[in-house]
Amino acid sequence: MGRGDLSDAEWERLRPFLPVSNRRCGRWRDHRQVIDGILHRVRTGVQWRDLPERFGPWKTAYERHRLWSADGTWERLLQQVQAAADSAGEIDWDVSVDSTIVRAHQHAAGAHRSAAGSRVKGGRAGRTPGRDAVAEPRRPPGGGGAGGEGLGRSRGGLTTKLHLSADGRCRPLSLIVTPGHRADCTQFKPVLEKIRVPRLGPGRPRKKPDSVAADKAYSNGPCREYLRRRSIRHTIPEKTDSQAARLRKGSRGGRPPDFDEERYKKRNTVARAINRLKQHRAVATRYDKRRYVYLGTATAAALTIWLRT
């Protein structure tokens, strides 16, 4: 077993949830060998063509990663590992939310502008494929240029922003990829609504944290109203200009929002979760052209964090 490969215990936790058939003919190539190759690339950031030979053909690892990023297999594996941790009472539901800027490598640019979801091998888009044609799995929407692929322009070049929520033990619960210039507060609701931890037995998945902590970037009316509507306790500091505007209104400005200083001290958990994610070089620097593939890369990194903590 090489450095960074799945241990026997980690493999046994994933094996029951892996797909058995590739929906075409035959069975998948050895899952464990291919997953080890994918995790090696996520950890080191090496080009796919430079994967060591012990992981098998590089194209097999790349296609498996691309397919599982498109059909949500990586997210389902992450949810199953989270469900096992939740059933054992190992999730701290005092959640923190934040985002981080990721520099996009020049190889991350240049994705095709046309949507690839309707393309079919062996036939042209929009026409009935031939008998021997093999339909590709439907891909998430994209192909709308840099913005459609989660790339934003800044003075330093192309950037991507990774929004995430983390539990009290510094492990990512949900991930969203946007262009680097997108404001944090616009993704507050989507990040929280993406939290979904299934139950191992009967019952609905858990989607509601016990409390939420966030910095001043999320201090606005819509974010606070969303948390109040869901009856979620929250600790978000008030912006200086918002506080001054409230004081100018006097009694009409209302009471200041509640702020728990002790609870806010735990917000560093999301920053530590970001540090753990960025220990994976393919997450710290984006090399993937397609947004859904980079999200799959970040989700695979989050999966290893959950397996090893």
Side-chain angles (χ1 to χ4, degrees), residues 19 27 33 86 124 156 180 186 210 256 260 266 271 290:
R27 300 171 63 87
Q33 180 189 32
D86 187 40
R124 296 181 180 178
T186 62
D210 292 335
D260 186 350
K266 295 178 62 177
R290 303 301 301 274

Side-chain angles (χ1 to χ4, degrees), residues 155-270:
R155 292 183 179 179
L158 295 174
T159 56
T160 290
K161 184 171 285 189
L162 191 63
H163 306 260
L164 72 155
S165 63
D167 76 334
R169 299 186 179 182
C170 311
R171 297 173 296 187
L173 285 170
S174 60
L175 298 161
I176 288 181
V177 174
T178 66
H181 59 268
R182 188 65 59 83
D184 291 356
C185 59
T186 62
Q187 303 303 310
F188 183 71
K189 179 179 176 180
V191 164
L192 290 180
E193 290 190 341
K194 198 174 181 182
I195 297 176
R196 185 180 185 277
V197 179
R199 309 284 186 179
L200 294 185
R204 297 179 180 178
R206 175 158 185 178
K207 301 180 180 180
K208 180 179 176 181
D210 292 335
S211 66
V212 172
D215 59 19
K216 290 184 178 181
Y218 303 92
S219 179
N220 58 28
C223 291
R224 295 183 188 275
E225 176 60 27
Y226 170 75
L227 293 171
R228 283 194 293 266
R229 188 168 64 250
R230 294 189 61 187
S231 301
I232 299 175
R233 294 185 293 108
H234 56 278
T235 299
I236 303 176
E238 189 179 18
K239 293 181 179 180
T240 304
D241 55 349
S242 299
Q243 183 180 14
R246 177 176 52 80
L247 293 176
R248 284 197 302 269
K249 294 180 182 178
S251 59
R252 295 182 293 105
R255 292 180 294 182
D258 294 334
F259 181 75
D260 186 350
E261 293 184 1
E262 293 300 320
R263 170 66 183 91
Y264 192 69
K265 291 178 181 179
K266 295 178 62 177
R267 198 189 65 83
N268 66 83
T269 55
V270 68

Side-chain angles (χ1 to χ4, degrees), residues 72-185:
T73 298
W74 285 123
E75 292 188 4
R76 286 192 293 271
L77 291 175
L78 177 61
Q79 289 174 359
Q80 292 298 329
V81 173
Q82 292 173 344
D86 187 40
S87 65
E90 297 176 354
I91 295 183
D92 184 351
W93 284 97
D94 288 335
V95 173
S96 299
V97 177
D98 206 349
S99 68
T100 181
I101 293 290
V102 176
R103 179 65 185 270
H105 193 269
Q106 58 185 357
H107 293 167
H112 293 292
R113 287 180 175 270
S114 60
S118 59
R119 289 185 179 177
V120 177
K121 289 185 178 179
R124 296 181 180 178
R127 295 188 179 182
T128 303
R131 176 184 296 181
D132 298 330
V134 179
E136 283 198 347
R138 188 148 188 90
R139 301 181 186 179
E149 297 300 346
L151 292 172
R153 295 191 178 275
S154 65
R155 292 183 179 179
L158 295 174
T159 56
T160 290
K161 184 171 285 189
L162 191 63
H163 306 260
L164 72 155
S165 63
D167 76 334
R169 299 186 179 182
C170 311
R171 297 173 296 187
L173 285 170
S174 60
L175 298 161
I176 288 181
V177 174
T178 66
H181 59 268
R182 188 65 59 83
D184 291 356
C185 59

